[in-house]
Amino acid sequence: MSANEVVITLPPPHSVGQEEIIMTPHSTILFAGRRWGKGIAGHNRLIRAGIEDPGLYWWIVNQWKSASAKRAWRIMKFFVRRMWLALETNPDPFIRETDKELHLPGGSVIWFRSAENPSSIAGEGPKGIVGDEFPMW
């Protein structure tokens, strides 16, 4: 491991297709039941993509007050915080609570946006998107 390399441990995928969803390089639409682990697969996929191919990524939620939105933001912050701490860097400037933006080491940015206001998800060209609770948009 080099001096600038960071190792974080993400939750391991379960044996029923999660690894395939996380590792596939192309667009994926996932229809799966409750408690299948769609959110964890999304976190793994966005962090992996942000590390391997720096750029802008989005996590779009149905509405900010939903439990899934709060959980997704909390979990993603946890992993981004761990990355910066592993680099012995204060993570606070890279976790923007007000804007719901996370800056990863290496230059990627993950924006959390809500589908409540369609104009909030227009204009930019993200490299990847997780559409959380997409059928409810």
Side-chain angles (χ1 to χ4, degrees):
M1 184 165 80
S2 70
N4 292 331
E5 188 174 337
V6 174
V7 176
I8 63 164
T9 303
L10 297 169
H14 59 58
S15 62
V16 189
Q18 236 181 13
E19 185 169 8
E20 182 181 352
I21 296 300
I22 293 165
M23 299 303 291
T24 187
H26 48 75
S27 298
T28 303
I29 297 175
L30 175 61
F31 295 99
R34 291 177 187 233
R35 313 302 302 165
W36 184 85
K38 299 177 295 292
I40 293 299
H43 291 103
N44 280 330
R45 190 164 175 170
L46 270 191
I47 289 172
R48 181 180 306 277
I51 291 168
E52 293 175 358
D53 187 17
L56 175 63
Y57 294 87
W58 287 355
W59 187 290
I60 303 175
V61 300
N62 181 41
Q63 56 182 323
W64 287 121
K65 293 184 179 183
S66 72
S68 65
K70 290 178 181 182
R71 182 174 187 271
W73 175 247
R74 185 180 67 246
I75 291 170
M76 194 66 83
K77 282 192 313 182
F78 172 80
F79 287 115
V80 171
R81 181 173 302 283
R82 286 181 59 194
M83 285 185 230
W84 287 109
L85 289 173
L87 290 170
E88 299 179 356
T89 301
N90 177 8
D92 294 341
F94 304 101
I95 299 172
R96 299 184 55 177
E97 289 283 348
T98 303
D99 298 326
K100 297 288 191 264
E101 296 177 5
L102 301 168
H103 297 257
L104 278 61
S108 285
V109 181
I110 299 172
W111 290 0
F112 275 67
R113 295 295 184 255
S114 170
E116 290 175 286
N117 178 4
S119 66
S120 73
I121 55 177
E124 292 290 336
K127 287 190 169 192
I129 297 171
V130 170
D132 196 1
E133 302 291 350
F134 179 75
M136 300 176 89
W137 293 7

